Amino acid sequence: MAGHATFGLIGTFLLLSFLGGSVVESSASEVQELTDLNFDRYVDGTSPWMIDVYAPWCGPCKALAPVWEDLARELKPLGIRVGRIDGPANKVSLQRLRVAHFPHLFHVIGDELREVPSMARSLEELQDFALTGWRSTQPRRGCSSPVSTCGRAIGAVKKLGPGTRAGYIWLHKEHGLSHVTICAMFLSLPLSLGLVLICVLDSYNTRFARGNLHQD
C-alpha cells in the first residue's frame, strides 16, 4: 500500500509539473523589454520593430498592454519584432524618440522611424500599420531618427556622463556646430588617441633597437 501511495504521489507531482510548465510556456511574453542600455543592441536595423513607450501609472497604457501582447504573437512569424519601453525609467530613450505622451507608439525599419497614428489602437489597426500602413507615414531620417548612424551616435553621447553631455550642448548651442560635426569630433577622438599611442610605441621601440645596436 505504501508503495502504491508513493507511486501515486510521484505521478501527481509529475502531472502538476507538466501542467505548470505548459502554463508558464503559454504565458511567456513575446514582447521585448527595451531600455536605454539595450535599445541599440536589439533595434539594430536587421528587423522591423513596433515599439510602445509607456508609463506604469498610465491608464491607456494598461488598456493597450494585452493588445500589444497579441500583436507580438501575430507578428513574430512574419519577422516583425515588438517591444516596449518603460518611459519614466528610461529618460535617454524618451529624449531620443521625442516622446510627447503615453502611450507613444513607433514603427522602426532600417534607419527610419515613424510614429504610429494615435487612433490606431486595435489589434487589426496595429497589424495593418506594421505590415503596410507605415509606408504612407512620413519617417524621421538622418540625425532626427534615433536609429540612423547619426542618431545612434547622439544617443551614445546622451548615455555618457553629465560633463560630456554639457560639452555636447555647449558646442551645439554656443558655437553652432551641427550634430553631425560634433559626432564626427567625438568619434575621431579614439582614432586620434590610438594614433598617438602607436607613435609613442614606435618611438620607444626605435630607441630600444638603437640601444641594442650600440651595445653590440
Side-chain angles (χ1 to χ4, degrees):
M1 293 291 292
H4 288 298
T6 301
F7 281 119
L9 289 173
I10 293 174
T12 303
F13 175 77
L14 291 174
L15 178 61
L16 290 174
S17 299
F18 174 78
L19 292 175
S22 300
V23 170
V24 170
E25 183 178 357
S26 64
S27 62
S29 176
E30 298 291 349
V31 178
Q32 174 65 52
E33 291 289 343
L34 300 171
T35 67
D36 290 344
L37 297 178
N38 70 16
F39 181 88
D40 290 299
R41 176 159 55 90
Y42 282 109
V43 189
D44 59 0
T46 58
S47 301
W49 280 81
M50 291 285 285
I51 299 172
D52 166 28
V53 185
Y54 71 98
W57 42 261
C58 166
C61 300
K62 295 177 181 178
L64 180 65
V67 178
W68 209 247
E69 292 286 350
D70 291 339
L71 181 69
R73 284 189 287 271
E74 294 291 331
L75 295 181
K76 182 180 179 180
L78 304 176
I80 303 174
R81 304 199 62 182
V82 176
R84 65 177 188 168
I85 302 173
D86 182 342
N90 295 278
K91 302 294 187 183
V92 173
S93 296
L94 287 184
Q95 296 176 21
R96 292 180 65 184
L97 295 168
R98 300 181 187 178
V99 174
H101 52 79
F102 299 117
H104 204 151
L105 310 184
F106 298 92
H107 175 271
V108 176
I109 185 166
D111 62 354
E112 297 180 348
L113 177 137
R114 291 171 172 82
E115 296 187 33
V116 179
S118 58
M119 68 285 295
R121 289 295 181 267
S122 70
L123 178 60
E124 293 75 16
E125 291 169 333
L126 293 170
Q127 277 183 296
D128 288 343
F129 190 89
L131 294 174
T132 57
W134 58 271
R135 299 180 187 276
S136 60
T137 301
Q138 187 68 24
R140 295 187 204 166
R141 295 192 181 99
C143 291
S144 64
S145 170
V147 292
S148 67
T149 301
C150 176
R152 292 184 192 279
I154 294 173
V157 172
K158 290 181 180 294
K159 287 187 284 188
L160 296 176
T164 305
R165 291 198 299 271
Y168 189 96
I169 294 171
W170 179 72
L171 289 171
H172 180 59
K173 291 188 175 181
E174 297 296 328
H175 292 274
L177 297 180
S178 68
H179 293 300
V180 176
T181 302
I182 299 173
C183 288
M185 291 170 59
F186 275 102
L187 292 173
S188 65
L189 285 176
L191 178 61
S192 301
L193 292 174
L195 290 173
V196 170
L197 180 61
I198 289 172
C199 291
V200 171
L201 291 175
D202 182 66
S203 176
Y204 174 80
N205 289 332
T206 301
R207 291 182 181 180
F208 182 76
R210 288 176 179 175
N212 287 338
L213 287 174
H214 288 309
Q215 290 178 2
D216 293 341

